[in-house]
């Protein structure tokens, strides 16, 4: 059974933010939470109140004729599905990250890319009748934000469900895109991908080509190793642990991967997602 949840106090106010076509290459972010008990009506009410702080999630994606992408803060409803399952004995002991989506797909109502009509957030609650467990599945459109944003949303929802105040700071929905007006920004030529974006199909084709022509390098560092790198670099506030790590990786590549100095990396631009 599916119902629709509105924000208790709509706060979209007709705003819109521009997003890049590069955002379209990511699918929805799905999460599963397992609870020994859950008050479903209370969850619906908490979601309604939380949406007042997160009006972007009640919006819709819009595409203009010149391939400009926006999220319209349109104060739409969020689908909330409730099911009961009498087949599963109890929720299985699964790893934190599940590679086989078939295991969790029945418990998630995943978001899809359908401009103008598709919600940016979907909820699904399944009660396992045999164990009396409750499975909460949430699907979050990646165009709205990354994992950090999703954590903040779920935290706000949890706080409100417990009749607690959401933790500050409140979410802010602004985005500054690099464009031709930012002529003083020295990295603009390097950031061409993010300044002059193409259609989703073009971006996916380019990424597929890069995947074929390049090889990934996987490196793992412990927290102790990162702390030592930071200490060796300077251990001051001016150089972050991330700075030290990037410098070390460049040093390793220059030392062990390249044959002569003409191939050495002289300058690196680091992008962090």
């Amino acid at each position: 059974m599916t119902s629709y949840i509105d924000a208790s106090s709509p706060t979209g106010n007709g705003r819109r933010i521009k997003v890049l076509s590069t955002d379209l290459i990511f699918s929805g972010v799905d999460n599963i939470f397992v609870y020994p008990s859950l008050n479903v009506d209370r969850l619906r009410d908490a979601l309604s109140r939380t949406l007042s702080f997160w009006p972007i999630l009640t919006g819709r994606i819009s595409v203009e004729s010149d391939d400009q992408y926006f999220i319209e803060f349109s104060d739409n409803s969020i689908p909330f599905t409730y099911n009961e399952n009498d087949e599963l004995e109890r929720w299985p002991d699964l790893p934190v990250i599940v590679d086989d989506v078939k295991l969790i797909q029945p418990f998630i109502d995943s978001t899809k890319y359908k401009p103008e009509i598709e919600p940016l957030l979907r909820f699904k609650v399944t009660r396992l009748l045999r164990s009396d467990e409750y499975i909460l599945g949430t699907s979050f459109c990646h165009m709205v934000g990354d994992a950090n944003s999703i954590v903040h949303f779920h935290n706000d929802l949890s706080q409100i469900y417990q009749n607690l105040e959401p933790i500050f700071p409140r979410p802010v929905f602004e985005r500054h895109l690099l464009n031709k007006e930012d002529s003083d920004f020295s990295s603009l030529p390097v950031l061409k991908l993010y300044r002059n974006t193409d259609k989703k199909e073009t971006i996916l084709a380019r990424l597929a080509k890069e995947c074929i022509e390049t090889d990934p390098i996987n490196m793992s560092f412990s927290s102790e190793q990162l702390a030592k790198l930071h200490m060796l670099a300077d251990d001051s506030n001016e150089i972050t642990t991330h700075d030290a790590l990037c410098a070390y990786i460049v040093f390793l590549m220059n030392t062990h991967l390249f044959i002569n100095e003409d191939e050495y990396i002289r300058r690196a631009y680091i992008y962090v997602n």
Side-chain angles (χ1 to χ4, degrees), residues 146-217:
D146 56 13
N148 187 56
S149 303
I150 298 171
V151 168
H152 281 291
F153 168 76
H154 285 136
N155 185 273
D156 284 351
L157 177 64
S158 175
Q159 290 287 109
I160 292 175
Y161 178 85
Q162 299 174 76
N163 290 319
L164 301 173
E165 282 294 316
I167 298 174
F168 284 97
R170 296 282 190 263
V172 176
F173 309 106
E174 297 178 359
R175 188 172 191 178
H176 177 71
L177 302 181
L178 299 174
N179 51 44
K180 294 179 180 178
E181 284 70 33
D182 297 303
S183 56
D184 294 333
F185 190 70
S186 60
S187 293
L188 270 182
V190 183
L191 297 174
K192 184 178 180 181
L193 171 65
Y194 298 97
R195 181 163 56 94
N196 301 320
T197 55
D198 297 310
K199 292 184 178 181
K200 178 181 179 180
E201 294 75 16
T202 304
I203 295 171
L204 288 175
R206 181 166 61 242
L207 291 176
K209 182 174 181 291
E210 290 178 359
C211 186
I212 294 173
E213 296 177 348
T214 59
D215 294 317
I217 298 177

Side-chain angles (χ1 to χ4, degrees), residues 22-49:
T22 46
D23 293 317
L24 301 178
I25 66 176
F26 300 105
S27 58
V29 182
D30 297 337
N31 288 276
I32 288 282
F33 304 89
V34 183
Y35 300 99
S37 64
L38 184 69
N39 187 319
V40 178
D41 289 334
R42 185 171 167 183
L43 177 62
R44 287 192 179 99
D45 179 68
L47 175 58
S48 175
R49 292 158 58 195

Side-chain angles (χ1 to χ4, degrees), residues 208-260:
K209 182 174 181 291
E210 290 178 359
C211 186
I212 294 173
E213 296 177 348
T214 59
D215 294 317
I217 298 177
N218 299 312
M219 306 174 70
S220 298
F221 296 87
S222 67
S223 56
E224 291 80 9
Q225 289 172 323
L226 292 176
K228 186 173 182 179
L229 274 177
H230 190 210
M231 180 188 68
L232 292 173
D234 190 6
D235 199 20
S236 70
N237 293 330
E238 294 183 1
I239 297 179
T240 67
T241 301
H242 183 262
D243 294 333
L245 175 61
C246 292
Y248 180 65
I249 291 174
V250 170
F251 171 77
L252 288 179
M253 294 176 69
N254 283 344
T255 303
H256 300 288
L257 293 183
F258 303 118
I259 299 175
N260 55 65

Side-chain angles (χ1 to χ4, degrees), residues 1-5 44 78-83 109 119 122-125:
M1 179 179 67
T2 300
S3 57
Y4 292 87
I5 310 297
R44 287 192 179 99
I78 297 301
F80 186 107
T81 301
Y82 175 79
N83 284 336
D109 185 16
R122 288 178 172 271
F123 265 61
K124 186 174 185 178
V125 174

